[in-house]
Amino acid sequence: MARYLATRLISLIPILFGTSVVAFLLVRLVPGDPAVALLGMEADARSLAALRQQMALDQPVVVQYVTWISHILTGDFGRSIQGGRAVFPLLLGALAPTALLAAAALVISLVIAIPAGIVAATRRNSGADYAASSLALCGLSLPSFWLGILLILAFSIYFPILPASGYVSPLVDPIGHLRHLVLPALTLGAALAAATMRMTRAAMLEVMRADYVRTARAKGLSRRTVIWGHALRNARMPIVTLLGIQLGQLLGGVVVTETVFSWPGIGKLTVDAIFARDYPVVQGAVLLTATLFVLINLVTDLIYTALDPRVRLS
């Protein structure tokens, strides 16, 4: 296990290096000038040149990258062009709301998807199966931003029971935090639940035909014990695999959802930084997101060994 962990952590180095290069170059391909974005269109050429020199934007791209990555290695992510705040604390401050939103979306998806998938599999070709499969297809087909707008129209405008946007810290007002969390978590969790439900149904259909399930039934075990104690226990590996992949994709999905609901997480911070040509914040956010994605995959691999001792990661 220790050797496997060391190998995976070492493999992070080329992945993060490649990510940093791509993020650094893509940000510079975005049209616009950070100096103009900061000083305005009416700024004179002398002031713009002085600011570009101050931000090292007049240096060759290679020199800019080497300077930036050398600072990253010392824990210095630079300072935001807009406001001058240190980037790393800024990212950490936005990470907490994103983590809360992703966790809530995951809980919602599991509460919906696992029971629905089991019902669809154990009652195959029934009305419940068709209804669950149709809802899953709708969940996969609807774009997140469109579903978010529909939820705002339904629960904030026509029936004003939940706020349409904003954020309240759970430490300040737990109830207010939950009220602001419901709609964006539903938006994110819907697509996740749809895919998980389809995977749960397929995995359950596979194991329900296995010999050990027929043996369990022949022994006279209750239907509940056969389904939850035997079938689901052996069907959870592909479900965990899918959840690990989708948790990483959630980090990309929050960009749209946080923007729609003005949720102050990593996604909204990145979008705001792109429009402001705030290079250090965009680069830091992309690098942090890529790191989290790789770490989530690593944790998913480790969960395999806990769920199935036959898996040997080494």
Side-chain angles (χ1 to χ4, degrees), residues 177-259:
H177 174 76
L178 289 176
R179 294 185 72 247
H180 284 81
L181 180 63
V182 170
L183 294 185
L186 275 175
T187 303
L188 264 183
L192 186 62
T196 307
M197 178 266 160
R198 289 168 66 94
M199 178 58 75
T200 303
R201 179 182 182 276
M204 287 293 292
L205 285 174
E206 182 69 25
V207 299
M208 291 293 284
R209 293 192 288 265
D211 291 338
Y212 60 85
V213 172
R214 283 195 289 269
T215 303
R217 287 172 173 164
K219 289 166 61 178
L221 296 179
S222 66
R223 178 182 175 86
R224 180 187 182 88
T225 302
V226 171
I227 293 174
W228 291 91
H230 294 268
L232 183 61
R233 187 182 182 86
N234 291 281
R236 60 191 176 182
M237 293 298 285
I239 300 173
V240 171
T241 303
L242 179 66
L243 286 176
I245 296 172
Q246 290 196 326
L247 271 178
Q249 292 176 344
L250 269 181
L251 298 175
V254 296
V255 173
V256 175
T257 304
E258 289 182 353
T259 303

Side-chain angles (χ1 to χ4, degrees), residues 133-155:
S133 299
S134 299
L135 288 176
L137 184 61
C138 290
L140 288 173
S141 304
L142 292 178
S144 294
F145 71 91
W146 195 73
L147 178 60
I149 292 172
L150 283 183
L151 291 175
I152 290 174
L153 288 173
F155 297 106

